Amino acid sequence: MDTRLLLLLLSLLAFIAQAELKKHGKHDKRRGREKKHRGRFEDWAREFDQSDDQSEDDDDEHDGGWLLELQEVRGSCDPNPCLNNGVCEERRNGKIKCDCPKPFKGRRCEKAKKVCRRNTCRYGTCVLTSTPPFYECKCKEPFKPPRCESDSICDPDPCQNGGKCVKDGRNFECVCPANYDGQFCQVGPEDCYEGDGESYRGKVSETEDGDECLYWNSYFLLQRGVDPFTAFDDDDGLGPHNYCRNPDGDVMPWCFIRRGRKLRWDHCDVRECSDNMTTAEPPTTTRSPEPEPVATTTKAPDVTTATTPAPVSRNATCGKPQPRRMLQRIYGGMKAIPGANPWQASLQVKLSGSNQDFRHTCGAVLIHSCWVLTAAHCINKNQDMQVVLGGLDLGKKEDFEQTFAVEQAIVHEKYRETSAAVYNDIALLKLKARNGRCAVETQYVKTVCLPNATFPDGTECSIAGWGATEDSDYGSSQLMDADVLLISQDKCSDASVYGRIVDDNMFCAGYLQGGIDSCQGDSGGPLTCERGGTHFLYGLVSWGDSCGKANKPGVYTNVLNFMDWITSKTGGIFS
Ligand code: ARG
């Protein structure tokens, strides 16, 4: 008896195993490299999506019906054995029957009628629905449902304010009446911003470079960890639209844009009310009260002449950023708040004497109107250097930038590089004064304070830079910032982290689990820690094993240990 039961069991197992093999074999062939077994409904959806089936029949092989065939249709309706919302009915003979909603059929409502075929949705994707006709076409722009065939994109006319829709291949263009602008002629003559544009509620939805703004509630933003509705102090003015706004104290309205898979932001192509437009009503504006280094038309490279603020020196104003408002940061560094890192500088180089353009190579930090600190490994012979202060977007010439040539570079005498680490990675750059002045203090250009005491392990400090990010090896054109934690020297020199190559003139900061970190291109830039509302330069980005890797946090030059060196090299201006 026992042996017979065992034999029966074994043969049943063998049968099932064979059936499994057969099934998987088919799937693998059909899907090329796709080997993952998907849920049944997904399988259908996938098949339908690529439906080029000749056979009308619903094929048991790929919808799992083969397994149901093996089973008895006996049983009870509790729990409901009918799939896809089928209604179960118990028959007197102990069998059950599934009443299947359309488009499902089969004993357990496990099969679906193939409503999606190759050309069901010509330029789009066919998806199943539960109501007739049981499919829906998700069309690629500019094609229209029901079957994504018609591209009568001017019907209905998307242009507003009397704009005329003109078809241009698969695109359209709105020819706007005088004084109207924007993709849909939605931007009227009175559409302009005042001051910094915080109160702007107009309809411009394009950036200065012509990129189309993302919707503030776009799924793409959420996917990248950005929820504008919670990220900003003031989400007033944001909504389910893609109009430019300034919720974070920037200098003018801006919006998020998408560049391939990357999320970026940019200032908008929106008019300032005081820029008179010939036919527009004379605006009644109150300009922002601060005297800002504004260059009027083409952006002047030398803005030190545009305002008369005091030269930056090391005084009580060091380490006091003036972002327009204190805001929550986005995603550990999506969009650095203008004015939040006013000591951040970009060290740019070109081949000595060449007429190449300068390119960003490292970060640097303004510690005095004529001095910046950077990493020693950023200084190379045969290169001309310049330092750009106040910039946020390296891809643009910004009104509030200040650019200086480098008069002198002082690399630490004991700077040394091994294959594993960099030692005494610090250098001073003396800016070349113009008309007897170096950096001029503005909201965007300020010195950081030099440290006079240690900060405890675990302190949350801040790093910033234009270096490489998760999705751009070449660095980011926009300044990013992020918060990192100071990691104890013990942990940093633990064998599982960097071991004995770490010395006391450097420290680790970041997260041992990985993630947020500085990276290539950030070197020489600041790690600042705050005490009593003042920001101190505690570290300079120096090195690390890869970026953002677990147990391999960023390593920073310990600025406190180099205070005497800094004092002696700068002629005592810091003593
Ligand atoms: N050496 C790099 C640079 O030149 C900085 C590397 C920082 N690495 C890190 N994982 N934190 O820009």
Side-chain angles (χ1 to χ4, degrees):
M1 175 72 178
D2 275 350
T3 341
R4 252 200 296 155
L5 197 69
L6 196 71
L7 271 174
L8 193 73
L9 243 159
L10 277 175
S11 51
L12 191 70
L13 274 175
F15 179 74
I16 290 178
Q18 222 181 350
E20 267 297 334
L21 275 176
K22 183 177 158 208
K23 176 175 178 262
H24 281 265
K26 281 213 169 190
H27 271 241
D28 285 351
K29 231 192 313 179
R30 192 176 302 147
R31 303 226 173 105
R33 286 175 25 211
E34 170 68 72
K35 289 217 169 83
K36 240 197 275 164
H37 183 66
R38 286 159 184 275
R40 193 176 306 136
F41 190 84
E42 271 177 4
D43 265 357
W44 283 331
R46 223 182 132 87
E47 298 289 347
F48 288 143
D49 219 30
Q50 313 162 346
S51 47
D52 58 346
D53 41 299
Q54 283 87 27
S55 72
E56 265 298 308
D57 292 338
D58 301 323
D59 179 0
D60 275 354
E61 286 297 342
H62 63 256
D63 58 15
W66 64 277
L67 186 61
L68 297 177
E69 298 298 336
L70 284 175
Q71 299 166 5
E72 263 295 325
V73 228
R74 294 177 179 279
S76 84
C77 285
D78 190 17
N80 185 0
C82 310
L83 302 169
N84 297 307
N85 288 331
V87 178
C88 181
E89 197 187 304
E90 274 177 33
R91 295 280 172 85
R92 247 182 256 123
N93 57 7
K95 290 194 174 176
I96 52 134
K97 184 176 181 290
C98 288
D99 192 8
C100 304
K102 280 190 174 160
F104 298 101
K105 54 185 191 173
R107 292 191 196 180
R108 300 274 171 99
C109 311
E110 75 281 5
K111 302 178 190 176
K113 195 166 152 45
K114 284 193 175 162
V115 282
C116 291
R117 302 186 171 276
R118 176 179 263 176
N119 271 334
T120 306
C121 303
R122 187 107 201 257
Y123 295 104
T125 306
C126 185
V127 298
L128 292 184
T129 63
S130 56
T131 48
F134 307 112
Y135 72 88
E136 195 187 316
C137 291
K138 300 279 184 205
C139 304
K140 289 191 190 127
E141 274 298 330
F143 296 94
K144 295 268 175 298
R147 303 199 59 163
C148 310
E149 276 172 335
S150 71
D151 60 351
S152 51
I153 40 182
C154 286
D155 180 24
D157 191 339
C159 310
Q160 301 168 25
N161 296 310
K164 221 177 121 257
C165 185
V166 181
K167 208 171 129 182
D168 171 17
R170 290 193 188 174
N171 287 318
F172 70 90
E173 215 177 280
C174 290
V175 181
C176 305
N179 295 339
Y180 284 86
D181 207 351
Q183 201 190 358
F184 303 102
C185 308
Q186 80 278 16
V187 181
E190 270 142 55
D191 197 309
C192 61
Y193 73 96
E194 291 179 359
D196 65 4
E198 192 191 329
S199 62
Y200 176 70
R201 297 294 180 266
K203 290 187 173 174
V204 172
S205 59
E206 227 175 71
T207 67
E208 282 171 344
D209 291 343
D211 288 298
E212 202 182 323
C213 294
L214 289 174
Y215 277 64
W216 293 99
N217 61 340
S218 119
Y219 182 59
F220 188 72
L221 286 179
L222 285 178
Q223 267 182 325
R224 286 179 173 53
V226 179
D227 178 2
F229 297 90
T230 57
F232 301 114
D233 265 5
D234 174 16
D235 61 7
D236 211 24
L238 303 188
H241 57 70
N242 66 343
Y243 303 138
C244 302
R245 295 290 180 257
N246 180 11
D248 68 344
D250 206 324
V251 288
M252 66 181 289
W254 58 272
C255 69
F256 286 110
I257 50 173
R258 181 179 176 155
R259 289 261 167 80
R261 283 171 46 238
K262 293 175 209 154
L263 177 62
R264 291 281 173 262
W265 65 270
D266 205 354
H267 289 136
C268 285
D269 184 23
V270 52
R271 192 171 59 85
E272 199 174 347
C273 299
S274 53
D275 284 354
N276 267 333
M277 218 171 78
T278 33
T279 41
E281 275 198 7
T284 50
T285 59
T286 42
R287 289 281 326 266
S288 99
E290 291 123 300
E292 281 180 0
V294 182
T296 39
T297 41
T298 39
K299 303 178 177 183
D302 177 358
V303 290
T304 52
T305 51
T307 86
T308 49
V312 186
S313 60
R314 191 176 184 247
N315 54 31
T317 67
C318 78
K320 297 251 182 346
Q322 281 182 325
R324 299 274 174 113
R325 278 185 274 137
M326 268 334 267
L327 300 160
Q328 227 179 302
R329 307 263 166 98
I330 304 174
Y331 194 41
M334 236 355 273
K335 182 175 186 289
I337 303 149
N341 307 282
W343 35 80
Q344 174 77 46
S346 157
L347 173 60
Q348 310 192 341
V349 293
K350 69 176 177 71
L351 196 64
S352 252
S354 74
N355 54 3
Q356 290 172 346
D357 287 340
F358 277 102
R359 59 175 176 83
H360 169 90
T361 180
C362 273
V365 200
L366 188 69
I367 55 170
H368 175 276
S369 94
C370 289
W371 291 95
V372 298
L373 272 177
T374 187
H377 81 257
C378 295
I379 313 294
N380 289 309
K381 287 208 179 89
N382 303 326
Q383 281 185 331
D384 291 340
M385 291 185 275
Q386 71 171 19
V387 171
V388 178
L389 304 169
L392 286 173
D393 187 340
L394 293 181
K396 284 183 181 160
K397 194 102 214 99
E398 290 165 308
D399 294 346
F400 34 79
E401 276 172 24
Q402 302 182 30
T403 304
F404 293 91
V406 172
E407 185 176 295
Q408 190 190 1
I410 308 172
V411 172
H412 197 282
E413 303 71 14
K414 292 201 177 131
Y415 160 65
R416 186 167 63 89
E417 224 179 299
T418 69
S419 57
V422 195
Y423 297 90
N424 304 302
D425 195 11
I426 189 166
L428 272 161
L429 300 178
K430 187 166 189 207
L431 306 181
K432 194 164 181 196
R434 276 190 306 252
N435 306 324
R437 294 204 304 192
C438 299
V440 170
E441 179 165 338
T442 66
Q443 192 201 340
Y444 306 100
V445 176
K446 280 182 201 296
T447 52
V448 71
C449 295
L450 288 169
N452 49 15
T454 54
F455 281 88
D457 298 334
T459 305
E460 190 175 81
C461 296
S462 162
I463 52 171
W466 290 275
T469 59
E470 316 87 292
D471 52 16
S472 91
D473 292 347
Y474 304 110
S476 146
S477 82
Q478 285 160 348
L479 182 63
M480 304 282 208
D481 58 18
D483 291 337
V484 289
L485 306 179
L486 300 183
I487 294 171
S488 74
Q489 213 60 13
D490 267 6
K491 194 77 216 169
C492 182
S493 49
D494 188 282
S496 65
V497 183
Y498 289 119
R500 277 180 300 180
I501 52 173
V502 171
D503 74 8
D504 272 348
N505 289 329
M506 53 182 96
F507 63 84
C508 284
Y511 302 87
L512 290 173
Q513 69 269 32
I516 299 169
D517 193 8
S518 43
C519 201
Q520 296 338 311
D522 289 325
S523 278
L527 177 144
T528 54
C529 309
E530 190 207 310
R531 182 174 280 140
T534 299
H535 296 248
F536 294 91
L537 178 66
Y538 204 53
L540 295 170
V541 179
S542 179
W543 61 276
D545 176 349
S546 318
C547 303
K549 206 160 97 175
N551 277 330
K552 302 292 167 200
V555 184
Y556 298 79
T557 307
N558 185 340
V559 177
L560 190 59
N561 285 10
F562 291 97
M563 279 311 298
D564 288 347
W565 180 80
I566 295 171
T567 308
S568 71
K569 297 296 167 185
T570 51
I573 47 176
F574 295 107
S575 46

